[in-house]
Amino acid sequence: MKKKMLLLNTTVLLGLGGVLSTPAYASTIQDMESQKSQIQNQRQDVQSNIKAASDELTRLQAEQDQMKAQLERLTLAEEENNKKAQKTEADIKETSKQVDQLEKEIKLLQEKLEKRNDILKDRARSMQESGGNVEYLQVLLGSSSFGDFVDRALAVSTIVDADRGILTETKNMQDELKTKQADVKSKLASLEDMKAELDEMTVQLAAQKKQKDALAKELKDKEAKNEELKASLQSKDSSLANEQSTLEQNIKDQKAAEEAARKAAEQAAKEAAKKAAEQAQKAAAAPSETADSSSPKAAPKASSNDVAPTSAPAPKASNVVTVGNRWIGNSAYVFGGGRSQSDINHGLFDCSSFVHWAYSQVGVNLGPLGSVSTETLKHAGTQVSSSQMQPGDLVFFDTYKKDGHVGIYVGGGKFIGAQSSTGVAIANMSSGYWKQKFNGRVVRI
């Protein structure tokens, strides 16, 4: 009987052990846990790349903000320069009208003077025929020019009163003629300067438009690439997240099934043990020795630890040569710009106003801001030889006119200035365009 009970208990335990082990379930969960771990590792890599891309996008966004600001400056500069060009064209037309009018007045004066000249010559001949003063005639007829003739006639004390009135009026007309001719000459020179400046503005406007268009295209391309990169990374992370979510749900369902099977196995084992005990009691006619038996031990529960993603660790204006560096890439060239605080705040300069601003930052006043020009700056200090040029000296270039451009020498054959095509920038004056335009004028402040 004892052997029978031992055999029965052993059979029950073997049957229970077979139910509780569920090797198929354990293998499936283990595979899914392994897949989940792999996906988590992949997501860590992707999220790391997303963070790196996010940092890059932040940097690019800051760069784009600077580009947008520069684009706004260039647009403003283009508008201001267009206004200046239109005003210059209007000034040229008005000055041309004034020149035409003066030339007409000069022609009329010259005709009047020729008539007066004929009258005076006739009077001189008449006086000679009537026995007039020979010395008077010699003085008049010995003149080297009409102007000299008038001056001599006025100087002769024997001239008759009638002649004196004609000569005085003629002298006044001659003086008026000289004044008008000088005025025409001045206006023509001004007209030439305005035309040269307008030509320079036309070239500068074309360069600014080209720069603005290139900047706008670069900005658009970068924005498109940034969006594409961001969408790609987010799509990949979303796909992996879905895979991970599906696996987690499968693992959850599988563990639930395993728990149900375990409970069913436990219940079956209890019922089997109870039944075996009842059968043993029935088989024994009398109390028998209690057979040693051991209680079944539940198989240890498998557990898994999700690997959590590891988080990534979390102007000194003391030198005129460098004080203007803050405007490099943050400014635009405007003819006549930089002479108001609003222009300066927006980085809108021309060459002379930039030099004035730079020196003001180190405590040097180069005269009234409103009237600063290359002409005033070349007289602001002491002229030195170009062979003795030092950083901080002003250097001048013959562009659309003599001394039409000025900058600050920074050393190494380079200078910083407000350039028409780029705004404030450092340029090489030892070769290329600026070497050809440098006229040798160097002024030390």
Side-chain angles (χ1 to χ4, degrees):
M1 181 62 68
K2 185 175 180 180
K3 289 182 179 180
K4 288 182 179 181
M5 289 294 295
L6 182 59
L7 179 60
L8 179 61
N9 286 339
T10 301
T11 303
V12 170
L13 288 175
L14 287 173
L16 181 60
V19 172
L20 292 178
S21 64
T22 59
Y25 289 142
S27 175
T28 302
I29 292 176
Q30 184 177 4
D31 289 343
M32 287 191 293
E33 289 286 2
S34 176
Q35 291 177 21
K36 176 183 174 183
S37 177
Q38 291 175 5
I39 290 176
Q40 285 178 328
N41 290 336
Q42 290 179 34
R43 286 199 71 192
Q44 285 181 16
D45 292 339
V46 171
Q47 288 170 355
S48 176
N49 290 335
I50 289 177
K51 183 181 183 306
S54 178
D55 292 342
E56 177 65 10
L57 289 173
T58 301
R59 186 192 68 77
L60 287 175
Q61 186 60 53
E63 182 181 334
Q64 288 172 358
D65 290 342
Q66 290 182 345
M67 291 172 69
K68 287 179 181 177
Q70 180 67 356
L71 198 57
E72 291 174 359
R73 273 189 291 271
L74 287 173
T75 300
L76 181 58
E78 187 176 24
E79 292 173 356
E80 292 298 321
N81 284 330
N82 272 321
K83 291 178 184 177
K84 178 70 174 175
Q86 291 170 3
K87 183 179 183 304
T88 301
E89 286 179 342
D91 290 344
I92 287 174
K93 290 180 180 178
E94 181 61 29
T95 303
S96 297
K97 290 179 182 179
Q98 294 176 8
V99 168
D100 290 342
Q101 183 60 34
L102 283 172
E103 288 177 341
K104 290 178 182 178
E105 293 175 3
I106 288 171
K107 185 177 180 181
L108 289 174
L109 279 173
Q110 287 174 333
E111 290 174 354
K112 288 181 180 180
L113 286 172
E114 288 174 2
K115 291 178 181 179
R116 292 299 175 92
N117 186 23
D118 292 339
I119 292 172
L120 289 172
K121 285 181 179 180
D122 288 343
R123 293 178 69 82
R125 290 191 189 96
S126 176
M127 183 174 289
Q128 183 179 22
E129 291 172 357
S130 62
N133 190 311
V134 176
E135 292 181 359
Y136 169 66
L137 294 174
Q138 288 178 343
V139 169
L140 292 179
L141 298 175
S143 59
S144 60
S145 65
F146 178 64
D148 186 30
F149 178 88
V150 174
D151 291 337
R152 286 176 180 237
L154 286 174
V156 176
S157 62
T158 59
I159 191 168
V160 296
D161 291 340
D163 289 346
R164 179 178 294 277
I166 293 174
L167 289 169
T168 300
E169 186 179 353
T170 303
K171 176 65 175 175
N172 291 339
M173 290 172 64
Q174 186 183 41
D175 291 342
E176 184 181 357
L177 176 62
K178 289 180 179 178
T179 300
K180 288 183 181 293
Q181 287 175 330
D183 194 13
V184 167
K185 185 177 180 180
S186 174
K187 287 186 180 297
L188 284 173
S190 174
L191 194 60
E192 289 176 358
D193 284 346
M194 283 193 288
K195 285 182 178 179
E197 185 175 346
L198 180 58
D199 290 341
E200 180 73 9
M201 278 191 284
T202 302
V203 173
Q204 187 267 338
L205 280 171
Q208 281 188 336
K209 185 178 185 307
K210 184 177 180 181
Q211 182 187 9
K212 188 179 75 171
D213 292 344
L215 200 59
K217 184 179 184 303
E218 183 182 355
L219 180 60
K220 186 176 180 181
D221 290 345
K222 283 192 175 184
E223 286 177 341
K225 288 180 180 179
N226 289 351
E227 290 300 325
E228 183 181 351
L229 174 62
K230 182 179 177 181
S232 174
L233 289 170
Q234 289 177 337
S235 175
K236 186 171 183 179
D237 185 58
S238 176
S239 175
L240 288 171
N242 288 336
E243 288 185 39
Q244 180 177 339
S245 176
T246 299
L247 276 173
E248 287 174 346
Q249 185 60 45
N250 289 343
I251 291 172
K252 182 179 178 181
D253 293 344
Q254 193 67 30
K255 284 185 176 180
E258 181 186 56
E259 180 66 14
R262 185 186 65 79
K263 289 181 178 179
E266 287 181 350
Q267 183 64 30
K270 288 180 180 178
E271 291 178 358
K274 182 178 179 183
K275 186 175 182 180
E278 290 175 351
Q279 289 177 350
Q281 288 176 354
K282 289 179 180 180
S288 60
E289 295 180 1
T290 303
D292 293 336
S293 64
S294 59
S295 301
K297 295 182 180 179
K301 293 172 63 177
S303 63
S304 63
N305 295 321
D306 293 347
V307 179
T310 304
S311 59
K316 185 179 179 180
S318 61
N319 191 322
V320 73
V321 172
T322 58
V323 71
N325 289 351
R326 58 171 288 194
W327 293 116
I328 295 176
N330 297 307
S331 59
Y333 186 94
V334 173
F335 275 95
R339 287 164 178 78
S340 69
Q341 193 56 49
S342 175
D343 279 357
I344 293 173
N345 291 343
H346 288 88
L348 304 179
F349 296 97
D350 65 10
C351 60
S352 53
S353 65
F354 170 74
V355 168
H356 186 285
W357 174 86
Y359 269 93
S360 71
Q361 300 305 295
V362 294
V364 178
N365 186 354
L366 296 181
L369 176 60
S371 59
V372 66
S373 66
T374 54
E375 194 67 22
T376 63
L377 290 177
K378 74 181 184 182
H379 300 298
T382 303
Q383 189 163 336
V384 298
S385 169
S386 59
S387 62
Q388 298 175 333
M389 198 159 42
Q390 296 177 1
D393 290 344
L394 303 188
V395 286
F396 292 80
F397 305 84
D398 293 343
T399 51
Y400 70 95
K401 66 175 183 179
K402 185 169 181 60
D403 297 318
H405 190 69
V406 63
I408 301 172
Y409 186 64
V410 299
K414 297 180 180 179
F415 75 100
I416 187 171
Q419 324 298 7
S420 61
S421 60
T422 59
V424 176
I426 294 176
N428 190 345
M429 58 182 286
S430 60
S431 64
Y433 176 82
W434 291 112
K435 180 180 181 181
Q436 296 173 2
K437 297 297 180 180
F438 179 51
N439 61 18
R441 185 186 296 278
V442 179
V443 173
R444 183 161 299 159
I445 303 300

PDB file of all heavy atoms in Angstrom, residues 121 124 128 134-153 156:
ATOM      1  N   LYS A 121      33.299 150.144 -81.511  1.00  0.00           N
ATOM      2  CA  LYS A 121      34.276 150.254 -82.600  1.00  0.00           C
ATOM      3  C   LYS A 121      33.878 151.357 -83.586  1.00  0.00           C
ATOM      4  O   LYS A 121      34.717 152.129 -84.064  1.00  0.00           O
ATOM      5  CB  LYS A 121      34.402 148.918 -83.327  1.00  0.00           C
ATOM      6  CG  LYS A 121      35.175 147.876 -82.562  1.00  0.00           C
ATOM      7  CD  LYS A 121      35.292 146.593 -83.351  1.00  0.00           C
ATOM      8  CE  LYS A 121      36.099 145.558 -82.585  1.00  0.00           C
ATOM      9  NZ  LYS A 121      36.224 144.293 -83.333  1.00  0.00           N
ATOM     10  N   ALA A 124      34.685 154.624 -82.076  1.00  0.00           N
ATOM     11  CA  ALA A 124      36.129 154.871 -82.085  1.00  0.00           C
ATOM     12  C   ALA A 124      36.585 155.342 -83.473  1.00  0.00           C
ATOM     13  O   ALA A 124      37.408 156.274 -83.590  1.00  0.00           O
ATOM     14  CB  ALA A 124      36.871 153.604 -81.690  1.00  0.00           C
ATOM     15  N   GLN A 128      38.165 158.953 -84.571  1.00  0.00           N
ATOM     16  CA  GLN A 128      39.445 159.061 -85.284  1.00  0.00           C
ATOM     17  C   GLN A 128      39.286 159.932 -86.525  1.00  0.00           C
ATOM     18  O   GLN A 128      40.126 160.784 -86.821  1.00  0.00           O
ATOM     19  CB  GLN A 128      39.932 157.669 -85.684  1.00  0.00           C
ATOM     20  CG  GLN A 128      41.290 157.686 -86.372  1.00  0.00           C
ATOM     21  CD  GLN A 128      41.737 156.296 -86.737  1.00  0.00           C
ATOM     22  OE1 GLN A 128      40.923 155.409 -86.851  1.00  0.00           O
ATOM     23  NE2 GLN A 128      43.019 156.138 -86.932  1.00  0.00           N
ATOM     24  N   VAL A 134      44.373 160.939 -80.155  1.00  0.00           N
ATOM     25  CA  VAL A 134      45.101 159.790 -80.705  1.00  0.00           C
ATOM     26  C   VAL A 134      45.454 158.788 -79.610  1.00  0.00           C
ATOM     27  O   VAL A 134      45.377 157.579 -79.788  1.00  0.00           O
ATOM     28  CB  VAL A 134      46.373 160.265 -81.438  1.00  0.00           C
ATOM     29  CG1 VAL A 134      47.174 159.062 -81.917  1.00  0.00           C
ATOM     30  CG2 VAL A 134      45.994 161.167 -82.590  1.00  0.00           C
ATOM     31  N   GLU A 135      45.854 159.319 -78.471  1.00  0.00           N
ATOM     32  CA  GLU A 135      46.232 158.423 -77.374  1.00  0.00           C
ATOM     33  C   GLU A 135      45.041 157.566 -76.948  1.00  0.00           C
ATOM     34  O   GLU A 135      45.162 156.380 -76.660  1.00  0.00           O
ATOM     35  CB  GLU A 135      46.747 159.238 -76.189  1.00  0.00           C
ATOM     36  CG  GLU A 135      48.073 159.938 -76.469  1.00  0.00           C
ATOM     37  CD  GLU A 135      48.560 160.716 -75.266  1.00  0.00           C
ATOM     38  OE1 GLU A 135      47.821 160.707 -74.244  1.00  0.00           O
ATOM     39  OE2 GLU A 135      49.650 161.272 -75.325  1.00  0.00           O
ATOM     40  N   TYR A 136      43.884 158.204 -76.944  1.00  0.00           N
ATOM     41  CA  TYR A 136      42.667 157.469 -76.559  1.00  0.00           C
ATOM     42  C   TYR A 136      42.398 156.343 -77.539  1.00  0.00           C
ATOM     43  O   TYR A 136      42.128 155.205 -77.159  1.00  0.00           O
ATOM     44  CB  TYR A 136      41.503 158.455 -76.520  1.00  0.00           C
ATOM     45  CG  TYR A 136      40.139 157.803 -76.394  1.00  0.00           C
ATOM     46  CD1 TYR A 136      39.778 157.112 -75.246  1.00  0.00           C
ATOM     47  CD2 TYR A 136      39.222 157.896 -77.447  1.00  0.00           C
ATOM     48  CE1 TYR A 136      38.543 156.531 -75.139  1.00  0.00           C
ATOM     49  CE2 TYR A 136      37.976 157.317 -77.340  1.00  0.00           C
ATOM     50  CZ  TYR A 136      37.628 156.642 -76.178  1.00  0.00           C
ATOM     51  OH  TYR A 136      36.383 156.058 -76.082  1.00  0.00           O
ATOM     52  N   LEU A 137      42.561 156.688 -78.840  1.00  0.00           N
ATOM     53  CA  LEU A 137      42.315 155.672 -79.859  1.00  0.00           C
ATOM     54  C   LEU A 137      43.324 154.539 -79.793  1.00  0.00           C
ATOM     55  O   LEU A 137      43.004 153.367 -79.958  1.00  0.00           O
ATOM     56  CB  LEU A 137      42.339 156.314 -81.251  1.00  0.00           C
ATOM     57  CG  LEU A 137      41.209 157.310 -81.531  1.00  0.00           C
ATOM     58  CD1 LEU A 137      41.434 157.983 -82.876  1.00  0.00           C
ATOM     59  CD2 LEU A 137      39.863 156.613 -81.512  1.00  0.00           C
ATOM     60  N   GLN A 138      44.569 154.894 -79.560  1.00  0.00           N
ATOM     61  CA  GLN A 138      45.616 153.860 -79.482  1.00  0.00           C
ATOM     62  C   GLN A 138      45.390 152.923 -78.308  1.00  0.00           C
ATOM     63  O   GLN A 138      45.626 151.715 -78.388  1.00  0.00           O
ATOM     64  CB  GLN A 138      46.981 154.537 -79.378  1.00  0.00           C
ATOM     65  CG  GLN A 138      47.434 155.189 -80.677  1.00  0.00           C
ATOM     66  CD  GLN A 138      48.762 155.899 -80.531  1.00  0.00           C
ATOM     67  OE1 GLN A 138      49.197 156.175 -79.412  1.00  0.00           O
ATOM     68  NE2 GLN A 138      49.410 156.198 -81.655  1.00  0.00           N
ATOM     69  N   VAL A 139      44.919 153.513 -77.214  1.00  0.00           N
ATOM     70  CA  VAL A 139      44.629 152.685 -76.040  1.00  0.00           C
ATOM     71  C   VAL A 139      43.537 151.671 -76.358  1.00  0.00           C
ATOM     72  O   VAL A 139      43.637 150.482 -76.075  1.00  0.00           O
ATOM     73  CB  VAL A 139      44.222 153.566 -74.843  1.00  0.00           C
ATOM     74  CG1 VAL A 139      43.658 152.676 -73.705  1.00  0.00           C
ATOM     75  CG2 VAL A 139      45.404 154.347 -74.333  1.00  0.00           C
ATOM     76  N   LEU A 140      42.500 152.188 -77.024  1.00  0.00           N
ATOM     77  CA  LEU A 140      41.369 151.317 -77.326  1.00  0.00           C
ATOM     78  C   LEU A 140      41.715 150.272 -78.371  1.00  0.00           C
ATOM     79  O   LEU A 140      41.456 149.082 -78.220  1.00  0.00           O
ATOM     80  CB  LEU A 140      40.185 152.153 -77.803  1.00  0.00           C
ATOM     81  CG  LEU A 140      39.536 153.067 -76.753  1.00  0.00           C
ATOM     82  CD1 LEU A 140      38.397 153.851 -77.385  1.00  0.00           C
ATOM     83  CD2 LEU A 140      39.033 152.282 -75.567  1.00  0.00           C
ATOM     84  N   LEU A 141      42.320 150.769 -79.478  1.00  0.00           N
ATOM     85  CA  LEU A 141      42.598 149.862 -80.582  1.00  0.00           C
ATOM     86  C   LEU A 141      43.753 148.911 -80.293  1.00  0.00           C
ATOM     87  O   LEU A 141      43.941 147.919 -80.988  1.00  0.00           O
ATOM     88  CB  LEU A 141      42.885 150.662 -81.855  1.00  0.00           C
ATOM     89  CG  LEU A 141      41.701 151.528 -82.334  1.00  0.00           C
ATOM     90  CD1 LEU A 141      42.108 152.384 -83.548  1.00  0.00           C
ATOM     91  CD2 LEU A 141      40.501 150.658 -82.682  1.00  0.00           C
ATOM     92  N   GLY A 142      44.520 149.200 -79.273  1.00  0.00           N
ATOM     93  CA  GLY A 142      45.648 148.311 -78.918  1.00  0.00           C
ATOM     94  C   GLY A 142      45.276 147.214 -77.944  1.00  0.00           C
ATOM     95  O   GLY A 142      46.143 146.472 -77.472  1.00  0.00           O
ATOM     96  N   SER A 143      44.009 147.110 -77.637  1.00  0.00           N
ATOM     97  CA  SER A 143      43.572 146.068 -76.689  1.00  0.00           C
ATOM     98  C   SER A 143      43.758 144.683 -77.303  1.00  0.00           C
ATOM     99  O   SER A 143      43.621 144.505 -78.506  1.00  0.00           O
ATOM    100  CB  SER A 143      42.110 146.285 -76.297  1.00  0.00           C
ATOM    101  OG  SER A 143      41.298 146.247 -77.447  1.00  0.00           O
ATOM    102  N   SER A 144      44.061 143.720 -76.454  1.00  0.00           N
ATOM    103  CA  SER A 144      44.321 142.344 -76.925  1.00  0.00           C
ATOM    104  C   SER A 144      43.055 141.508 -77.025  1.00  0.00           C
ATOM    105  O   SER A 144      43.031 140.474 -77.666  1.00  0.00           O
ATOM    106  CB  SER A 144      45.311 141.647 -75.979  1.00  0.00           C
ATOM    107  OG  SER A 144      44.770 141.586 -74.664  1.00  0.00           O
ATOM    108  N   SER A 145      41.989 141.937 -76.355  1.00  0.00           N
ATOM    109  CA  SER A 145      40.731 141.200 -76.385  1.00  0.00           C
ATOM    110  C   SER A 145      39.594 142.162 -76.118  1.00  0.00           C
ATOM    111  O   SER A 145      39.815 143.323 -75.740  1.00  0.00           O
ATOM    112  CB  SER A 145      40.737 140.078 -75.336  1.00  0.00           C
ATOM    113  OG  SER A 145      40.785 140.632 -74.031  1.00  0.00           O
ATOM    114  N   PHE A 146      38.397 141.656 -76.302  1.00  0.00           N
ATOM    115  CA  PHE A 146      37.257 142.521 -76.064  1.00  0.00           C
ATOM    116  C   PHE A 146      37.182 142.941 -74.597  1.00  0.00           C
ATOM    117  O   PHE A 146      36.898 144.090 -74.257  1.00  0.00           O
ATOM    118  CB  PHE A 146      35.969 141.814 -76.478  1.00  0.00           C
ATOM    119  CG  PHE A 146      34.735 142.633 -76.218  1.00  0.00           C
ATOM    120  CD1 PHE A 146      34.526 143.837 -76.875  1.00  0.00           C
ATOM    121  CD2 PHE A 146      33.778 142.211 -75.292  1.00  0.00           C
ATOM    122  CE1 PHE A 146      33.386 144.598 -76.625  1.00  0.00           C
ATOM    123  CE2 PHE A 146      32.650 142.967 -75.053  1.00  0.00           C
ATOM    124  CZ  PHE A 146      32.453 144.162 -75.723  1.00  0.00           C
ATOM    125  N   GLY A 147      37.453 141.994 -73.697  1.00  0.00           N
ATOM    126  CA  GLY A 147      37.458 142.319 -72.277  1.00  0.00           C
ATOM    127  C   GLY A 147      38.505 143.379 -71.971  1.00  0.00           C
ATOM    128  O   GLY A 147      38.264 144.324 -71.197  1.00  0.00           O
ATOM    129  N   ASP A 148      39.664 143.213 -72.575  1.00  0.00           N
ATOM    130  CA  ASP A 148      40.733 144.200 -72.379  1.00  0.00           C
ATOM    131  C   ASP A 148      40.313 145.555 -72.941  1.00  0.00           C
ATOM    132  O   ASP A 148      40.605 146.605 -72.379  1.00  0.00           O
ATOM    133  CB  ASP A 148      42.005 143.693 -73.058  1.00  0.00           C
ATOM    134  CG  ASP A 148      43.211 144.593 -72.771  1.00  0.00           C
ATOM    135  OD1 ASP A 148      43.231 145.193 -71.678  1.00  0.00           O
ATOM    136  OD2 ASP A 148      44.102 144.671 -73.633  1.00  0.00           O
ATOM    137  N   PHE A 149      39.600 145.520 -74.069  1.00  0.00           N
ATOM    138  CA  PHE A 149      39.098 146.739 -74.703  1.00  0.00           C
ATOM    139  C   PHE A 149      38.186 147.503 -73.744  1.00  0.00           C
ATOM    140  O   PHE A 149      38.315 148.727 -73.567  1.00  0.00           O
ATOM    141  CB  PHE A 149      38.353 146.371 -75.987  1.00  0.00           C
ATOM    142  CG  PHE A 149      37.744 147.536 -76.708  1.00  0.00           C
ATOM    143  CD1 PHE A 149      38.465 148.273 -77.646  1.00  0.00           C
ATOM    144  CD2 PHE A 149      36.425 147.923 -76.448  1.00  0.00           C
ATOM    145  CE1 PHE A 149      37.891 149.346 -78.303  1.00  0.00           C
ATOM    146  CE2 PHE A 149      35.860 148.986 -77.098  1.00  0.00           C
ATOM    147  CZ  PHE A 149      36.583 149.714 -78.030  1.00  0.00           C
ATOM    148  N   VAL A 150      37.249 146.793 -73.126  1.00  0.00           N
ATOM    149  CA  VAL A 150      36.308 147.431 -72.196  1.00  0.00           C
ATOM    150  C   VAL A 150      37.055 147.998 -71.001  1.00  0.00           C
ATOM    151  O   VAL A 150      36.812 149.140 -70.563  1.00  0.00           O
ATOM    152  CB  VAL A 150      35.242 146.424 -71.738  1.00  0.00           C
ATOM    153  CG1 VAL A 150      34.342 147.041 -70.653  1.00  0.00           C
ATOM    154  CG2 VAL A 150      34.390 145.975 -72.909  1.00  0.00           C
ATOM    155  N   ASP A 151      37.983 147.192 -70.442  1.00  0.00           N
ATOM    156  CA  ASP A 151      38.744 147.658 -69.279  1.00  0.00           C
ATOM    157  C   ASP A 151      39.553 148.916 -69.629  1.00  0.00           C
ATOM    158  O   ASP A 151      39.621 149.880 -68.850  1.00  0.00           O
ATOM    159  CB  ASP A 151      39.680 146.555 -68.780  1.00  0.00           C
ATOM    160  CG  ASP A 151      38.888 145.399 -68.164  1.00  0.00           C
ATOM    161  OD1 ASP A 151      37.741 145.638 -67.753  1.00  0.00           O
ATOM    162  OD2 ASP A 151      39.433 144.284 -68.103  1.00  0.00           O
ATOM    163  N   ARG A 152      40.194 148.939 -70.802  1.00  0.00           N
ATOM    164  CA  ARG A 152      40.989 150.096 -71.217  1.00  0.00           C
ATOM    165  C   ARG A 152      40.100 151.328 -71.422  1.00  0.00           C
ATOM    166  O   ARG A 152      40.453 152.433 -71.022  1.00  0.00           O
ATOM    167  CB  ARG A 152      41.730 149.789 -72.523  1.00  0.00           C
ATOM    168  CG  ARG A 152      42.916 148.849 -72.355  1.00  0.00           C
ATOM    169  CD  ARG A 152      43.540 148.512 -73.708  1.00  0.00           C
ATOM    170  NE  ARG A 152      44.682 147.624 -73.562  1.00  0.00           N
ATOM    171  CZ  ARG A 152      45.908 147.910 -74.010  1.00  0.00           C
ATOM    172  NH1 ARG A 152      46.138 149.052 -74.635  1.00  0.00           N
ATOM    173  NH2 ARG A 152      46.892 147.060 -73.843  1.00  0.00           N
ATOM    174  N   ALA A 153      38.937 151.097 -72.066  1.00  0.00           N
ATOM    175  CA  ALA A 153      38.041 152.219 -72.333  1.00  0.00           C
ATOM    176  C   ALA A 153      37.563 152.868 -71.046  1.00  0.00           C
ATOM    177  O   ALA A 153      37.473 154.105 -70.946  1.00  0.00           O
ATOM    178  CB  ALA A 153      36.859 151.731 -73.159  1.00  0.00           C
ATOM    179  N   VAL A 156      40.289 155.155 -69.465  1.00  0.00           N
ATOM    180  CA  VAL A 156      40.692 156.400 -70.134  1.00  0.00           C
ATOM    181  C   VAL A 156      39.840 157.555 -69.620  1.00  0.00           C
ATOM    182  O   VAL A 156      38.613 157.525 -69.705  1.00  0.00           O
ATOM    183  CB  VAL A 156      40.543 156.267 -71.665  1.00  0.00           C
ATOM    184  CG1 VAL A 156      40.860 157.598 -72.343  1.00  0.00           C
ATOM    185  CG2 VAL A 156      41.447 155.168 -72.176  1.00  0.00           C
TER     186      VAL A 156
END
